[in-house]
Amino acid sequence: MFHSSAMVNSHRKPMFTIHTGFYCLVAILLQICICSQISVPSSHYFTEDPGAFPVASNGEPFPWQELRLPNVVIPLHYDLFVHPNLTSLDFVASEKIEVLVSNATQFIILHSKDLEITNATLQSEEDSRYMKSGKELKVLSYPAHQQIALLVPEKLMPHLKYYVAIDFQARLSDGFKGFYKSTYRTLGGETRILAVTDFEPTQARMAFPCFDEPLFKANFSIKIRRESGHTALSNMPKVKTIELEGGLLEDHFETTVKMSTYLVAYIVCDFHSVSGITSSGVKVSIYASPDKRNQTHYALQASLKLLDFYEKYFDINYPLPKLDLIAIPDFASGAMENWGLITYRETSLFFDPKTSSASDKLWVTRVIAHELAHQWFGNLVTMEWWNDIWLNEGFANYMELIAVNATYPELQFDDYFLDVCFEVITKDSLNSSRPISKPAETPTQIQEMFDEVSYNKGACILNMLKDFLGEEKFQKGIIQYLKKFSYRNAKNDDLWNSLSNSCLESDFTSGGVCHSDPKMTSNMLTFLGENAEVKEMMTTWTLQKGIPLLVVKQDGHSLRLQQERFLQGVFQEDPEWRALQERYLWHIPLTYSTSSSNVIHRHILKSKTDILDLPEKTSWVKFNVDSNGYYIVHYEGHGWDQLITQLNQNHTLLRPKDRIGLIHDVFQLVGAGRLTLDKALDMTHYLQHETSSPALLKGLSYLELFYHMMDRRNISDISENLKRYLLQYFKPVIDRQSWSDEGSVWDRMLRSALLKLACDLNHAPCIQKAAELFSQWMESSGKLNIPTDVLKIVYSVGAQTTTGWNYLLELYELSMSSAEKNKILYALSTSKHQEKLQKLIELGMEGKVIKTQDLAVLLHAIARRPKGQQLAWDFVRENWTHLLKKFDLGSFAIRIIISGTTSHFSSKDKLQEVKLFFESLEAQGSHLDIFQIVLETISKNIKWLEKNLPTLRMWLLVNT
């Protein structure tokens, strides 16, 4: 799954990041089996005190107590029939599940949520063979665990197969999960309906009764009944269509490969497609509503290219005969990797040359690469339980880097990947963070696992491991892992074992010795001993939360190293600091370079302290080469001064990614109280000579962050001086920007960012040019093509007048381009008029003009503006129960709404308000991890201001 943020300008994504297009939030596990999976002897149901069991909805004892299903009955095959009615918005369905019994039992426990079960019968294999009718089953329901129990008249015997037939019906869901309805508007203004599924992580049970846990893999044969004007799609190709009385048609699909329930998908719609064939013969099709088919061509080209790449990289052919990608008008996340039928939010699949910017193109390419990687990581090999969801999502995020670099090098994603890691460090440096691998039991807890820790940190530690092992060994380990666990489930240790011993069968000589990788033995692995203790090293990264701080002190020819836990907002002098450091130790694969040579030195730090000898005298040393490692570096003594001097004298002696890493670390260390703010700000002086766009943007992002913080708090003397400093100091590079779409991807992203900043700061030439373009565009009735990289800026300036705002809102309703709608919605949210912002929120709640899927990022955008922050916060508090009717408690949308409207606060009054609100929610039984993260973030902001405000004020007085 790819979490999207359609709109938060800091960039998965889940939430947690801001994409330079219109917010694409993307896009985020201890190995403990959370509940018992032992089989309960059937006698328990009859002999134990009924009070020991939960009470079913009819008042009878329910024979199973655990959230996890028993493993007594194993599904092998589902025959599933579904008939949705797109007029009455409901569906009738039936299924026949072939099961294998491992222990004698008198009940079968399945998941089911909001389904009306009208009949349930059981056949033995013998009954089925002789066409005997099934025996009626009593059905008990326990909604608290989303489970049903089928009570069988006679004990089911071990090692025998049975067939469970269930008839059921339900309404199409109003939300974004299970089997739900979606709508779209045609060019002619007609509203049309489609029915679509979205099951990850625990919503297949809303569409059909099933064993809804990833370990219960089975084959699925699906039949869908529909009207002739519609198309039915599912995971597999259609085998045949049967004509029925009354003009209905019934499509039969090929039986799927063995897979988990959350990957099942089916859709009934009237969409059109474009198709192509990969070099290995897989048919790839992109489906879209009829008026938007012209925006699917880039997605088709990218999908064909990426699928070919993955087949070669993984050395495993894509196992299905076809792959469909479909843009759904109403979609909760960025995309979902259903095997053979990948569903996308429109912004994650469509590319419109007239309105999609360079960053939009990168976004679409990334999301396609992410979902296609899942066809192997996640679908072919699936985690055993949701505590290890990072094995799916972290890998898919990591494979974006590998795949996009290989297939679209011109997108220069390699430089962008650093932000994937920097984004999660913001959360991971709080005490409220969590380990990558963490127990998750309830559906809400499972949903919360889809966060930046699973996605981003997972990807970053994999990239660090790849850098440590070397690309060839890492790739071979991945291939071994995928081949060994194909159509099965895996856990953390299985991956580490494969990467420790990445010899494939074909690598072994007749004597049973692997000679595939002679260079690697002498290269990296000697650090770890003969067997490369990958597992020992990597469990320090997956089973404990947080990020290490490497403290480096150069003493002549020696480097004194010390590792600590890096914490933002908790300083060394604070009484709690020492307790928060206890029992944290990482095995850190260090890299470093020096002023005296280009050689990359390597060392594994397994202890709290260590000493390294330098072979020669050096004026500076830089750790974490190319920022491939997941750790922060602090240089004690004169270390930072020496690096800042080098940046000012000749910054090109340090690699571009090392310069980005230094900028990132120096400001992070300010937040941890290890460096003064003036030291970090002094480093930004060199940026006027910076030739790397990513490095320049990283430096500017911190200065812009400080400006918005001061602006929101109305600390006007500092915000005005910061504005003056930015426009004075970066005027030459701002003035060099053309209002065009020319140049490399990074030239274009720099242009978008700089001109947006200049207009945000009311830089007269910027405002004038944008207003001029907006006026010409309005006069042309929207037909003038404005360069896509400046489109959002032009719209934002235009939205400051009532006429412009109203015109944009009208266009928003009519536009067929999701990229354009994203830019318009962002522009509308920048209005300084509260009544206009209030109208946007009302439209988002209504869900017609502004779709409900965009409400979370809309609230986030409004809340980040001085005029909107109180409005958005008040709205969330006053409408919480209404929001929970639209979004699940643990959903990405709810987490974005909470953090997006609160985590920028930086006053004690606001901290108290937020705390009281969260306490009231917890009193009602709503608890989310995001509550503590937000409270800690606000406390960190307060502390940052208390410590750094006088320094910032003084530094600006001296430097402006």
Side-chain angles (χ1 to χ4, degrees):
M1 189 187 294
F2 202 98
H3 279 305
S4 113
S5 87
M7 181 175 149
V8 189
N9 206 0
S10 30
H11 185 55
R12 238 195 213 147
K13 287 178 220 188
M15 340 183 187
F16 333 117
T17 21
I18 301 173
H19 176 43
T20 46
F22 178 62
Y23 304 112
C24 284
L25 286 168
V26 194
I28 127 263
L29 327 178
L30 262 170
Q31 297 175 89
I32 294 174
C33 192
I34 312 166
C35 330
S36 159
Q37 279 207 322
I38 57 168
S39 56
V40 175
S42 56
S43 58
H44 276 208
Y45 181 57
F46 297 101
T47 60
E48 281 203 14
D49 172 14
F53 290 96
V55 179
S57 50
N58 68 351
E60 294 184 26
F62 189 81
W64 187 247
Q65 302 168 331
E66 308 288 349
L67 270 165
R68 295 281 292 274
L69 299 181
N71 60 1
V72 183
V73 179
I74 311 296
L76 303 175
H77 179 264
Y78 293 75
D79 239 318
L80 178 62
F81 162 81
V82 186
H83 180 196
N85 186 321
L86 300 191
T87 305
S88 57
L89 302 179
D90 53 18
F91 67 93
V92 293
S94 61
E95 66 182 349
K96 188 174 187 178
I97 312 173
E98 179 187 353
V99 299
L100 177 66
V101 175
S102 60
N103 282 355
T105 181
Q106 286 203 261
F107 54 82
I108 299 171
I109 308 293
L110 295 128
H111 286 110
S112 178
K113 184 184 178 189
D114 300 333
L115 299 173
E116 182 191 343
I117 292 168
T118 53
N119 192 42
T121 60
L122 178 80
Q123 284 180 309
S124 67
E125 203 165 11
E126 189 179 356
D127 292 341
S128 178
R129 194 178 303 123
Y130 294 110
M131 309 288 285
K132 287 186 184 176
S133 59
K135 297 181 181 71
E136 291 282 333
L137 298 176
K138 183 171 184 178
V139 182
L140 296 178
S141 174
Y142 186 48
H145 285 182
Q146 303 175 1
Q147 291 171 356
I148 56 170
L150 307 179
L151 307 186
V152 299
E154 296 171 14
K155 198 178 284 187
L156 303 182
M157 302 311 292
H159 316 304
L160 294 184
K161 289 181 184 176
Y162 294 86
Y163 297 89
V164 180
I166 305 175
D167 298 328
F168 55 99
Q169 59 192 29
R171 298 283 299 168
L172 288 172
S173 169
D174 279 328
F176 302 94
K177 292 295 181 182
F179 194 23
Y180 70 96
K181 78 169 193 295
S182 175
T183 62
Y184 73 94
R185 191 175 171 281
T186 66
L187 263 175
E190 178 192 354
T191 297
R192 293 186 184 172
I193 296 171
L194 58 148
V196 58
T197 59
D198 191 57
F199 292 161
E200 189 179 31
T202 59
Q203 282 88 21
R205 64 194 68 173
M206 294 173 68
F208 58 99
C210 56
F211 298 81
D212 199 13
E213 294 178 5
L215 207 52
F216 290 115
K217 290 193 170 187
N219 304 100
F220 297 81
S221 300
I222 295 172
K223 302 180 185 72
I224 302 197
R225 198 169 286 180
R226 61 177 171 87
E227 293 180 357
S228 58
H230 287 128
T231 299
L233 300 170
S234 189
N235 304 83
M236 300 296 286
K238 194 163 57 175
V239 181
K240 62 178 177 181
T241 300
I242 298 171
E243 291 191 29
L244 306 169
E245 289 179 18
L248 288 176
L249 301 173
E250 189 173 287
D251 294 328
H252 293 212
F253 296 89
E254 271 182 43
T255 301
T256 69
V257 295
K258 199 175 174 188
M259 65 186 199
S260 303
T261 48
Y262 77 88
L263 295 169
V264 173
Y266 40 89
I267 296 169
V268 176
C269 63
D270 65 346
F271 285 8
H272 294 178
S273 67
V274 296
S275 301
I277 307 287
T278 66
S279 57
S280 62
V282 178
K283 183 181 180 183
V284 176
S285 304
I286 315 291
Y287 282 85
S289 56
D291 296 323
K292 297 179 180 177
R293 192 170 66 162
N294 63 337
Q295 297 175 55
T296 60
H297 298 289
Y298 176 71
L300 178 60
Q301 171 204 326
S303 302
L304 291 167
K305 211 168 177 180
L306 285 159
L307 201 61
D308 276 340
F309 168 77
Y310 281 134
E311 288 192 323
K312 292 185 181 75
Y313 186 88
F314 295 136
D315 192 34
I316 300 171
N317 282 339
Y318 172 73
L320 309 186
K322 64 91 177 175
L323 175 61
D324 298 332
L325 295 79
I326 181 167
I328 306 299
D330 302 276
F331 203 72
S333 60
M336 175 58 211
E337 66 267 18
N338 317 298
W339 216 345
L341 178 55
I342 307 176
T343 42
Y344 290 79
R345 190 181 276 229
E346 289 186 343
T347 46
S348 300
L349 193 65
F350 289 157
F351 180 80
D352 175 15
K354 289 185 178 177
T355 58
S356 297
S357 64
S359 53
D360 292 333
K361 189 172 202 172
L362 176 59
W363 177 257
V364 169
T365 315
R366 285 182 62 189
V367 182
I368 293 173
H370 183 102
E371 302 308 325
L372 264 58
H374 272 313
Q375 306 304 295
W376 286 265
F377 275 100
N379 300 10
L380 185 64
V381 179
T382 312
M383 75 276 139
E384 283 190 2
W385 183 247
W386 300 106
N387 62 308
D388 275 335
I389 185 58
W390 85 275
L391 288 174
N392 285 17
E393 299 302 348
F395 249 111
N397 254 24
Y398 168 74
M399 287 310 300
E400 289 174 36
L401 171 67
I402 303 302
V404 175
N405 276 352
T407 53
Y408 289 92
E410 69 276 14
L411 292 179
Q412 297 173 275
F413 181 50
D414 196 40
D415 291 319
Y416 202 85
F417 185 77
L418 296 185
D419 276 338
V420 170
C421 304
F422 295 159
E423 284 156 13
V424 69
I425 287 170
T426 304
K427 172 180 176 177
D428 210 22
S429 56
L430 299 175
N431 190 43
S432 51
S433 187
R434 65 167 181 86
I436 285 179
S437 199
K438 173 198 168 191
E441 187 172 356
T442 67
T444 296
Q445 288 168 351
I446 290 166
Q447 277 190 308
E448 285 191 279
M449 295 298 288
F450 290 80
D451 67 356
E452 63 268 61
V453 172
S454 291
Y455 284 79
N456 295 29
K457 185 175 180 179
C460 297
I461 67 165
L462 289 169
N463 185 55
M464 176 171 69
L465 181 58
K466 182 262 301 183
D467 181 62
F468 168 71
L469 292 176
E471 287 201 35
E472 186 185 353
K473 182 173 178 65
F474 187 80
Q475 184 180 352
K476 283 188 174 180
I478 286 176
I479 292 170
Q480 185 191 74
Y481 170 77
L482 289 173
K483 288 187 174 179
K484 183 173 181 180
F485 294 98
S486 288
Y487 306 105
R488 293 165 57 200
N489 299 74
K491 51 188 184 296
N492 265 341
D493 283 359
D494 298 319
L495 176 64
W496 307 143
N497 291 339
S498 293
L499 288 165
S500 300
N501 177 27
S502 52
C503 289
L504 304 177
E505 284 181 31
S506 56
D507 294 327
F508 284 94
T509 62
S510 55
V513 180
C514 170
H515 288 300
S516 65
D517 211 354
K519 290 184 299 227
M520 201 47 63
T521 310
S522 58
N523 188 353
M524 247 49 70
L525 300 187
T526 47
F527 287 122
L528 285 176
E530 285 181 24
N531 294 322
E533 301 147 356
V534 171
K535 177 183 169 184
E536 185 190 349
M537 179 171 86
M538 294 311 292
T539 51
T540 71
W541 297 94
T542 57
L543 299 187
Q544 61 183 350
K545 65 182 178 182
I547 176 171
L549 170 67
L550 176 70
V551 181
V552 179
K553 184 164 188 183
Q554 190 174 342
D555 187 2
H557 282 270
S558 294
L559 289 173
R560 298 184 179 277
L561 309 180
Q562 180 176 324
Q563 65 162 293
E564 300 171 4
R565 179 184 174 198
F566 179 70
L567 288 164
Q568 286 263 24
V570 182
F571 302 156
Q572 271 182 310
E573 59 269 25
D574 293 341
E576 66 268 34
W577 186 85
R578 189 162 298 283
L580 293 173
Q581 293 291 329
E582 284 177 10
R583 296 189 302 280
Y584 280 87
L585 182 72
W586 287 266
H587 290 192
I588 312 174
L590 302 177
T591 54
Y592 61 98
S593 59
T594 69
S595 60
S596 48
S597 91
N598 287 323
V599 175
I600 298 174
H601 304 274
R602 295 180 182 268
H603 176 75
I604 293 180
L605 182 62
K606 294 184 182 183
S607 52
K608 281 282 188 187
T609 60
D610 209 344
I611 296 176
L612 298 181
D613 293 324
L614 288 170
E616 52 202 332
K617 193 175 181 200
T618 182
S619 60
W620 52 260
V621 61
K622 164 68 176 69
F623 274 80
N624 199 2
V625 176
D626 280 338
S627 297
N628 281 319
Y630 187 75
Y631 54 96
I632 305 280
V633 186
H634 175 42
Y635 303 92
E636 285 196 332
H638 297 294
W640 279 109
D641 294 331
Q642 289 160 346
L643 287 161
I644 291 169
T645 300
Q646 181 62 69
L647 287 171
N648 285 321
Q649 287 176 356
N650 180 4
H651 64 275
T652 61
L653 285 189
L654 286 152
R655 302 158 183 257
K657 284 186 188 173
D658 281 342
R659 305 197 296 266
I660 297 171
L662 286 171
I663 295 166
H664 171 264
D665 285 5
V666 79
F667 282 104
Q668 293 296 312
L669 288 161
V670 171
R674 300 303 281 266
L675 277 179
T676 56
L677 179 60
D678 54 346
K679 179 82 73 180
L681 291 169
D682 285 347
M683 180 184 278
T684 65
H685 279 315
Y686 101 91
L687 287 171
Q688 61 186 322
H689 307 296
E690 180 56 83
T691 47
S692 160
S693 295
L696 179 55
L697 282 173
K698 176 49 66 179
L700 274 170
S701 71
Y702 285 105
L703 297 171
E704 192 175 358
L705 183 76
F706 301 153
Y707 169 75
H708 287 302
M709 186 189 282
M710 301 303 136
D711 193 30
R712 277 194 297 266
R713 286 294 305 275
N714 197 27
I715 306 173
S716 53
D717 66 317
I718 297 185
S719 61
E720 284 304 310
N721 281 339
L722 249 175
K723 183 192 294 189
R724 193 175 303 116
Y725 174 76
L726 282 161
L727 290 175
Q728 170 189 316
Y729 209 74
F730 295 99
K731 185 177 187 299
V733 68
I734 290 170
D735 290 347
R736 280 201 302 273
Q737 304 308 310
S738 63
W739 293 69
S740 70
D741 285 340
E742 295 162 4
S744 71
V745 164
W746 277 105
D747 290 339
R748 296 177 62 182
M749 291 206 281
L750 180 68
R751 173 186 303 127
S752 294
L754 282 173
L755 292 178
K756 178 182 177 300
L757 174 63
C759 281
D760 279 352
L761 297 177
N762 284 315
H763 185 44
C766 185
I767 298 288
Q768 188 181 333
K769 179 67 176 177
E772 184 186 310
L773 283 170
F774 186 80
S775 177
Q776 292 169 2
W777 174 76
M778 266 187 68
E779 284 167 17
S780 75
S781 302
K783 292 183 174 61
L784 176 75
N785 282 341
I786 297 171
T788 60
D789 295 335
V790 298
L791 198 51
K792 187 164 76 171
I793 301 157
V794 171
Y795 287 165
S796 298
V797 170
Q800 301 315 307
T801 68
T802 298
T803 307
W805 196 91
N806 290 335
Y807 184 79
L808 282 166
L809 185 57
E810 284 174 31
L811 179 68
Y812 181 85
E813 192 170 357
L814 298 173
S815 175
M816 285 290 148
S817 162
S818 55
E820 180 175 53
K821 286 173 84 91
N822 249 354
K823 294 173 180 65
I824 293 172
L825 190 55
Y826 171 79
L828 293 170
S829 77
T830 64
S831 172
K832 295 178 178 63
H833 297 281
Q834 290 212 338
E835 69 277 7
K836 289 185 170 63
L837 300 178
Q838 183 67 44
K839 182 176 182 178
L840 289 180
I841 294 172
E842 287 166 6
L843 290 172
M845 282 296 279
E846 185 188 43
K848 290 177 183 171
V849 175
I850 297 173
K851 284 191 168 284
T852 304
Q853 67 175 9
D854 297 318
L855 178 62
V857 287
L858 172 64
L859 285 168
H860 183 292
I862 289 172
R864 294 306 155 114
R865 297 273 162 177
K867 297 291 184 186
Q869 54 183 344
Q870 191 62 41
L871 178 73
W873 170 225
D874 289 344
F875 171 81
V876 170
R877 287 184 292 175
E878 290 161 15
N879 294 274
W880 181 252
T881 52
H882 297 298
L883 290 168
L884 281 188
K885 288 175 187 170
K886 294 182 181 293
F887 308 106
D888 290 343
L889 178 63
S891 65
F892 169 58
I894 286 292
R895 284 177 281 154
I896 273 297
I897 288 168
I898 291 169
S899 65
T901 56
T902 58
S903 60
H904 57 286
F905 288 147
S906 56
S907 72
K908 289 179 179 175
D909 288 348
K910 281 287 178 275
L911 176 62
Q912 188 61 20
E913 277 182 25
V914 175
K915 195 174 180 183
L916 288 172
F917 177 59
F918 289 168
E919 285 172 357
S920 72
L921 296 185
E922 289 182 329
Q924 298 163 32
S926 297
H927 176 77
L928 293 173
D929 291 346
I930 194 75
F931 294 169
Q932 188 55 37
I933 293 165
V934 164
L935 293 174
E936 212 175 314
T937 301
I938 298 172
S939 299
K940 178 188 78 172
N941 296 342
I942 293 167
K943 206 160 182 178
W944 192 97
L945 280 175
E946 287 173 351
K947 191 172 181 75
N948 296 302
L949 206 57
T951 308
L952 181 57
R953 183 175 273 122
M954 183 58 65
W955 189 88
L956 285 167
L957 287 173
V958 171
N959 286 276
T960 51

